Amino acid sequence: MNYPLKANKCNWRSLEPQRNTFYSEDYIADHYDLYLTTEHITDEHNCTHRYYRLHASQPHNIEMALAYDIKCPCCGSHVLKQVGRCKDFHTLGLYECPVCDRQ
């Protein structure tokens, strides 16, 4: 699933995912500055965990990528924490929800 991100008007660092969109990743990449994609990763105990990858249309360095507070697309209330590094200037950190992943 793909989630375009919308910045808070009062705080540009606070990003909220738009959950009710059915756009393709190509469409979102062309029309939004920042967006999340869902990644499911299986650990060594054969448990599958849901993660979110941050993507940017404009190049970001590591400091820029770390500046965002992104709400969880699943619960909508908790802030995601970064658990993986940036792959390149457009494919940024890997995130997880500290609450949803424990359920």
Side-chain angles (χ1 to χ4, degrees):
M1 196 124 192
N2 305 308
Y3 303 95
L5 295 171
K6 181 179 176 185
N8 184 312
K9 292 179 183 179
C10 299
N11 180 2
W12 63 269
R13 293 176 187 217
S14 179
L15 302 174
E16 189 166 335
Q18 306 301 298
R19 295 195 277 175
N20 294 328
T21 61
F22 299 99
Y23 301 132
S24 69
E25 185 174 350
D26 292 333
Y27 179 86
I28 293 172
D30 288 342
H31 292 87
Y32 291 88
D33 292 332
L34 296 165
Y35 67 96
L36 293 173
T37 56
T38 305
E39 294 185 14
H40 296 280
I41 299 173
T42 304
D43 65 13
E44 64 274 1
H45 303 293
N46 226 14
C47 295
T48 302
H49 300 277
R50 180 179 44 223
Y51 295 94
Y52 302 98
R53 177 72 66 180
L54 179 61
H55 300 269
S57 62
Q58 300 296 317
H60 280 57
N61 61 30
I62 292 172
E63 289 79 19
M64 293 166 69
L66 290 172
Y68 300 115
D69 294 324
I70 306 168
K71 288 192 176 181
C72 176
C74 184
C75 67
S77 58
H78 297 93
V79 175
L80 299 176
K81 71 175 189 173
Q82 188 170 353
V83 296
R85 62 183 176 84
C86 299
K87 289 185 174 183
D88 57 42
F89 295 113
H90 297 280
T91 307
L92 307 177
L94 188 66
Y95 293 82
E96 74 175 348
C97 181
V99 177
C100 293
D101 194 44
R102 293 181 188 176
Q103 297 175 350

